[in-house]
């Protein structure tokens, strides 16, 4: 029986989790109608939570983490796919309830897969990964709420992180004026090269939120949550929209309804994990059109499978810049 290599997360009798590189057999794969030779995965914030056990992301043990993968179809009994097709998978419980992308092989439901756009190599698709695809979902939400390039500036919080880096690059290419908020002053040049017109310190958004502040931006892409989100809402202009996708600073929202009822501000919730297939296809088509590949390359670093576990604590501490690709064969 054919085998494959994976990063395996196991839980001991003491409840502690540990990871190791394991040689597994195809009999270990989970049910599905498409088998994929995985070439690349990536490290998102949620992967950091799974790798460290900081939050109960993993709900099946043992688990292969990795909420994303890119690869080539080996076998398919699903009419959507045939051997040789290049595919991507983001979310759908991968690395949570279904064996994930930190492996050289995966078996999944065909409906979870989307085609790899011609514009990207598998490594580039994983440099985008869930973080980048979520950034695009945020941009689509702003557009749907009428926040267009010719309106007023858009704030991106958690700017030097994965969602933030892709959001800035896409918004800049579309012609938006972008204000980037970061806790890392040393990343100003990086953010400016991605397309930020203005870089502001994270501290401007971490104070005690007021019900309403000075109107500063028409749209927001927020991956931080908590006081940052409450402050961003309070400074959103009349009729603006805030796309909230993340919780890097916390899950709470210590704010006021004032921006909603007095300024008509919309809070748009963004979920990538269970987003319908049609929406994913649109998001990936738009990424192919609206994300500059030179900028994508500038935000990407590549590691091997054995180094993925070490990135878990780093991404949770906000130390990772841009996006990390995992070459599962390295
Ligand atoms: P990253 O770690 O790459 O980026 C998060 C960024 O947030 C950091 O780089 C840092 O940016 C900033 N940050 C970190 N900690 C704090 C803090 N305590 N206070 C303020 N800012 C902080 O993660 P990702 O981009 O992969 O994910 C970002 C968030 O989005 C996560 O919470 C993740 O769970 C969520 N997410 C949600 C999805 C969904 O479907 N809704 C999908 C994808 C991600 P800087 O140093 O520039 O300030």
């Amino acid at each position: 029986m054919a085998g494959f290599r994976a990063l395996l997360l196991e839980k001991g009798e003491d409840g502690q989790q540990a990871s190791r590189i394991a040689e597994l057999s195809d009999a270990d794969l989970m049910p599905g109608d498409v088998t994929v030779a995985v070439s690349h995965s990536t490290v998102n914030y949620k992967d950091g939570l799974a790798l460290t056990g900081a939050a109960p992301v993993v709900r099946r043990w043992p688990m292969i983490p990795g909420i994303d993968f890119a690869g080539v179809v080996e076998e398919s009994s699903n009419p959507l796919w045939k051997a040789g097709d290049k595919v991507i998978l983001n979310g759908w419980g991968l690395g949570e309830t279904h064996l994930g992308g930190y492996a050289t092989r995966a078996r999944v439901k065909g409906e979870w897969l989307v085609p790899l756009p011609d514009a990207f190599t598998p490594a580039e698709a994983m440099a985008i990964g869930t973080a980048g695809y979520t950034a695009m979902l945020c941009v689509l939400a702003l557009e749907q709420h009428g926040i267009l390039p010719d309106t007023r500036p858009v704030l991106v919080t958690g700017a030097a992180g994965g969602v933030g880096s892709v959001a800035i690059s896409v918004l800049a290419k579309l012609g938006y004026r972008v204000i980037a908020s970061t806790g890392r002053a040393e990343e100003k040049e990086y953010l400016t090269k991605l397309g930020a017109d203005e870089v502001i310190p994270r501290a401007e958004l971490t104070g005690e939120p007021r019900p309403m502040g000075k109107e500063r931006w028409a749209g927001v892409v927020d991956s931080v949550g908590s006081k940052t989100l409450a402050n961003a809402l309070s400074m959103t202009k009349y009729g603006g929209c805030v796309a909230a996708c993340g919780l890097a600073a916390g899950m709470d929202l210590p704010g006021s309804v004032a921006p909603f009822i007095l300024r008509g501000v919309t809070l748009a919730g963004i979920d990538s994990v269970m987003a319908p297939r049609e929406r994913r296809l649109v998001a990936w088509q738009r990424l192919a059109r609206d994300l500059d590949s030179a900028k994508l390359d500038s935000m990407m670093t590549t590691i091997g499978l054995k180094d993925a576990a070490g990135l878990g604590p780093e991404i949770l501490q906000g130390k990772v810049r841009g996006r990390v690709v995992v070459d599962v064969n390295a």
Side-chain angles (χ1 to χ4, degrees), residues 45 134 158-163 182-184 202 223 245-249 270 272 315:
Y45 191 90
T134 302
V163 173
T182 184
R184 291 179 270 180
R202 180 196 288 179
S223 59
C245 73
L247 45 62
I270 306 298
S272 65
I315 195 159

Side-chain angles (χ1 to χ4, degrees), residues 43-47 49 67 130-135 137-138 156-165 181-187 191 202 206 222-225 228 244-250 269-274 314-323:
V43 184
N44 301 279
Y45 191 90
K46 191 187 260 181
D47 295 312
L49 293 173
I67 66 169
T130 284
Y133 140 67
T134 302
L137 292 177
C138 291
V156 177
T157 64
V163 173
S165 295
S181 158
T182 184
R184 291 179 270 180
E186 68 277 14
E187 300 299 356
L191 296 169
R202 180 196 288 179
T206 53
D222 178 60
S223 59
V224 171
T228 299
C245 73
L247 45 62
I270 306 298
D271 168 61
S272 65
V273 180
M274 303 306 286
E314 287 202 25
I315 195 159
L316 296 190
Q317 289 161 23
K319 290 184 181 164
V320 170
R321 181 176 96 174
R323 301 278 302 132

Side-chain angles (χ1 to χ4, degrees), residues 177-237:
R177 179 174 157 70
V178 180
I179 302 175
S181 158
T182 184
R184 291 179 270 180
E186 68 277 14
E187 300 299 356
K188 184 172 180 178
E189 191 184 339
Y190 165 74
L191 296 169
T192 304
K193 281 191 178 152
L194 290 183
D197 298 283
E198 191 183 339
V199 178
I200 63 171
R202 180 196 288 179
E204 283 191 24
L205 299 168
T206 53
E208 222 36 64
R210 292 193 294 156
M212 285 203 294
K214 184 169 177 275
E215 294 177 75
R216 293 177 71 180
W217 31 76
V220 180
V221 174
D222 178 60
S223 59
V224 171
S226 193
K227 285 183 181 171
T228 299
L229 175 55
N231 275 306
L233 279 163
S234 78
M235 295 180 221
T236 299
K237 295 188 187 206

Side-chain angles (χ1 to χ4, degrees), residues 41-43 126 299 301-303 311 320-326:
S41 185
T42 176
V43 184
M126 288 297 99
M299 69 178 85
T301 47
T302 303
I303 60 171
L311 260 286
V320 170
R321 181 176 96 174
R323 301 278 302 132
V324 178
V325 173
V326 180

Side-chain angles (χ1 to χ4, degrees), residues 39-279:
S39 62
H40 297 83
S41 185
T42 176
V43 184
N44 301 279
Y45 191 90
K46 191 187 260 181
D47 295 312
L49 293 173
L51 288 164
T52 59
V57 166
V58 175
R59 278 167 280 144
R60 172 210 192 264
W61 299 91
M63 176 50 95
I64 298 170
I67 66 169
D68 293 310
F69 68 63
V72 177
V73 171
E74 284 185 335
E75 278 177 39
S76 170
S77 58
N78 185 309
L80 285 172
W81 307 106
K82 60 179 189 323
D85 287 344
K86 295 177 182 172
V87 291
I88 311 170
L89 200 157
N90 307 112
W92 290 120
L94 208 70
E96 301 185 63
T97 52
H98 196 97
L99 294 178
Y102 295 170
T104 55
R105 186 168 293 139
R107 187 174 295 140
V108 297
K109 284 189 186 168
E111 285 72 19
W112 293 351
L113 298 163
V114 296
L116 175 75
D118 289 342
F120 302 125
T121 64
E124 285 172 334
M126 288 297 99
I128 297 168
T130 284
Y133 140 67
T134 302
M136 192 72 228
L137 292 177
C138 291
V139 173
L140 292 172
L142 294 183
E143 288 178 351
Q144 275 162 6
H145 288 90
I147 311 304
L148 302 172
D150 61 354
T151 54
R152 299 131 298 164
V154 171
L155 169 72
V156 177
T157 64
V163 173
S165 295
V166 175
I168 293 169
S169 307
V170 168
L171 289 165
K173 182 158 182 201
L174 291 170
Y176 287 86
R177 179 174 157 70
V178 180
I179 302 175
S181 158
T182 184
R184 291 179 270 180
E186 68 277 14
E187 300 299 356
K188 184 172 180 178
E189 191 184 339
Y190 165 74
L191 296 169
T192 304
K193 281 191 178 152
L194 290 183
D197 298 283
E198 191 183 339
V199 178
I200 63 171
R202 180 196 288 179
E204 283 191 24
L205 299 168
T206 53
E208 222 36 64
R210 292 193 294 156
M212 285 203 294
K214 184 169 177 275
E215 294 177 75
R216 293 177 71 180
W217 31 76
V220 180
V221 174
D222 178 60
S223 59
V224 171
S226 193
K227 285 183 181 171
T228 299
L229 175 55
N231 275 306
L233 279 163
S234 78
M235 295 180 221
T236 299
K237 295 188 187 206
Y238 192 92
C241 177
V242 176
C245 73
L247 45 62
M251 250 194 171
D252 57 331
L253 179 50
S256 154
V257 296
F260 310 129
I261 63 175
L262 297 176
R263 287 189 181 150
V265 168
T266 299
L267 179 57
I270 306 298
D271 168 61
S272 65
V273 180
M274 303 306 286
R277 190 158 190 274
E278 298 67 38
R279 191 136 192 85

